[in-house]
Every structure is written in C-alpha cells, then in structure tokens.
Amino acid sequence: MSVSKKNIHSGITIISPLSPIKTTEVYDTYWKFAALRQEAFFNKIENKGYPWSNDSIINTYRFTNAYRAADRVSQYLIRDVIYSDEYSDSPKEVLFRILLFKLFNKIDTWELIRTHISNPNFEDYNFKVYNEILNDAFIAGETIYSAAYIMPSVKSSFGYTRKHSNHLKLIELMLNDNAEEQLSNANNMQKAFEIIKSFPGLGNFLAYQLLIDINYSTIINFSESEFVMPGPGALGGISKCFKDTAGLNEKEIIKLVTDRQEIEFERLGLNFKSLWGRDLQLIDCQNLFCEVDKYSRVRHPEITGNSKRTRIKQKYKRNHKPIEYWFPPKWNLNSRIIGDLTYQN
C-alpha cells in the first residue's frame, strides 16, 4: 500500500516516507469489519430481524458501532444528558452533567442519581448527598461503573477509600477551576485535550474520551477529525493491521486510514453506508482499530500483533430498550434521519 499525499477528510497532509507501508490481511479485515458492523446497525434500524449480520463473529460477540456517537451510551449522553430541555444549558452545568455521567459511563448510575435528585446541577451540588447515593448503591452490590474501560481511583489526589467519592471530588475540582471556561477559550482540539488531561487521573485515553464527549456539546466545537489520541486497544489493532508503518506513528496511521476510507472501501468493493452522509472521523477510525483488535482474535488468531489477549470476553446480549437516534444539532444530521428510526438492540 502506498501512502497518499492527498488529504480527503482530516485536513492533515501526511508526507510519504521513503519506505512503503506493509500491511497484513487484518488491514483488509479492518474495512470489511467496518462495513459489516455498519450494515448490522442499519439492519437493526430497518427492523430486519435478528440476526442482523451474516457474520457469525459479529452476531456472537459485543462490538461497538462503527460510529462512536451511535452507541447506546453516547446516544443517551447526547439526547438525555447534554441537550435535554429539562436542564440548564449554561456551560458549567452542561459540563457538570457530562462529567457526572461519563466518569461512571453507565446509564443506570445516572438514572439512580436522578431517582434521588431530579435535576442534577452544580449550583445545588452537595458532595455528601451524591456520595451517600453512590455509597448505598455500592453497599447494596450494585455496579455503578461501566465495564467499557477502567477508571483510576485517584485516591492519591483526594484521599477517599471508595473510587466514586474521589470522582465526585474530581468533578468538584474541575468545575471550581472553571474548566468550562478554559475549554471554551481553547483555540484547538489539542489544547482542549491538554486542559482535560491536566486534572488528576485523566491520562491520554480518558482525557481523549472526555474530550469527544464534551465536543458533542456547545462548550467546544471542533471537528472530530482535528485531533486523535490512540488508546491501548487501538494500538493493538494497528499492530495487527501493519507489518511496517514506514515511520508513521499511531496518530498518523489513524489519520491516514481516515483519509483513505473512500479509496479502501472502493478497492475492496464494499458498500459502506455512512452515518446519513457523515464520513468516519478520527475517533471512529481509532475505535475501529480497537474493535478489529478484538474481532481478529477470532478471525485471525495467528496474527497477534502486540496484543496479549486471545479471546473476546464480552458476548453480545440483546437490549430490547429502543433507541431514538438524535445527534448533536451542529452536525446537521437530524433532519436527514427520515421516519421513526428506532430499534431494539
């Protein structure tokens, strides 16, 4: 595969290195997986009935959507946490809700809090009240954190035994430090990332994930193809897709594949149905590397890359609660969603 100097989506030109990039068969699988996963997404929406894919691996195991914003938790965040008419749209309150939701990353935890506090807001915030709600849930054996990724306890920064207590204090710190103003004044996405990362416990991966979530709101407004920070799973996927990256680092590889998406889908004869006209962005291609790392454990077990994992842990379980798709208004997608596009996942 040769490296193109032409930039298509991200607005970033990558200079061709002297030696060519060398791919493995997992590279083609990356694009096939993206097309298959997106096909399954639309099959669900069109109520074609389970199974939604002809691919047995996709039917058996849990994979995120090709587009991060289309996942159930992201949809809930966008529609019910960020843009709900029930809440204040002030930047500080919007950031408070995003952090309160995303540090736990679990819909059930947000709804648990709302059974006690109908309108979670920072103006009336009381650490003791929120902490007792989460303490009671923890003692009752309820899972208050998502299994999507591991949250560090930040005990060294705040001193509490229980992780949720420290995370509540982290939210306090960020809001008292006027993080929403700092972010609003950031002149590029990388600067916004550095602001988030400056707070305790928010390393590269978590800071980038929060950055994308905050960018769904009106606090900041950057292109999702302006900046990327690969997580551990994406690094594993990249190592399986490429024998030799010809000097490009992982960020540049993600930018490269984002720019080449139309070329690669056409080369492989794949009918990739975009998100109502929205192409894959850097965050989506980063996530796809993570998902193909998992997928290839079954499809290409002989190609291990730098990943030590050999099986996919999470099996697919149907969630019968419908999703009504709605995206950040600034993306101008919602008018393109024709009809009542809900599905039972």
Side-chain angles (χ1 to χ4, degrees), residues 146-243:
S146 165
Y149 40 80
I150 298 172
M151 290 294 298
S153 70
V154 290
K155 181 179 179 180
S156 60
S157 297
F158 302 104
Y160 289 88
T161 301
R162 290 180 179 162
K163 186 162 64 172
H164 59 259
S165 304
N166 294 314
H167 290 150
L168 291 175
K169 285 297 181 181
L170 173 59
I171 294 172
E172 284 185 41
L173 174 63
M174 294 180 73
L175 273 294
N176 286 329
D177 205 28
N178 296 316
E180 77 287 351
E181 291 184 11
Q182 296 183 51
L183 290 167
S184 295
N185 292 329
N187 56 15
N188 58 61
M189 202 174 197
Q190 182 166 350
K191 177 60 178 177
F193 166 79
E194 290 167 356
I195 290 167
I196 298 169
K197 188 183 172 185
S198 70
F199 290 96
L202 300 178
N204 285 345
F205 176 74
L206 291 175
Y208 180 57
Q209 296 300 314
L210 279 176
L211 172 66
I212 295 299
D213 294 315
I214 296 167
N215 198 46
Y216 292 148
S217 76
T218 57
I219 296 172
I220 53 178
N221 185 22
F222 300 114
S223 165
E224 285 194 329
S225 280
E226 180 180 328
F227 173 80
V228 69
M229 180 57 65
L235 297 178
I238 290 170
S239 73
K240 291 180 179 180
C241 287
F242 298 92
K243 295 177 183 177

Side-chain angles (χ1 to χ4, degrees), residues 118-148:
S118 61
N119 182 5
N121 65 85
F122 191 65
E123 183 178 1
D124 301 322
Y125 173 80
N126 184 302
F127 169 79
K128 183 178 178 181
V129 172
Y130 282 77
N131 196 45
E132 284 182 358
I133 294 169
L134 297 173
N135 268 335
D136 290 345
F138 178 83
I139 292 169
E142 296 180 31
T143 302
I144 60 177
Y145 286 90
S146 165

Side-chain angles (χ1 to χ4, degrees), residues 281-324:
Q281 307 291 301
L282 290 177
I283 178 61
D284 305 315
C285 290
Q286 192 272 164
N287 280 8
L288 282 168
F289 273 118
C290 182
E291 298 308 288
V292 85
D293 176 35
K294 294 188 294 185
Y295 181 86
S296 63
R297 294 172 202 170
V298 178
R299 180 65 71 200
H300 305 287
E302 73 285 358
I303 300 178
T304 58
N306 63 16
S307 177
K308 296 180 181 179
R309 296 181 180 180
T310 58
R311 63 186 183 89
I312 307 173
K313 290 183 179 180
Q314 292 185 311
K315 293 288 185 75
Y316 174 70
K317 295 180 181 178
R318 294 181 68 180
N319 185 333
H320 292 280
K321 187 174 182 179
I323 298 176
E324 184 176 350

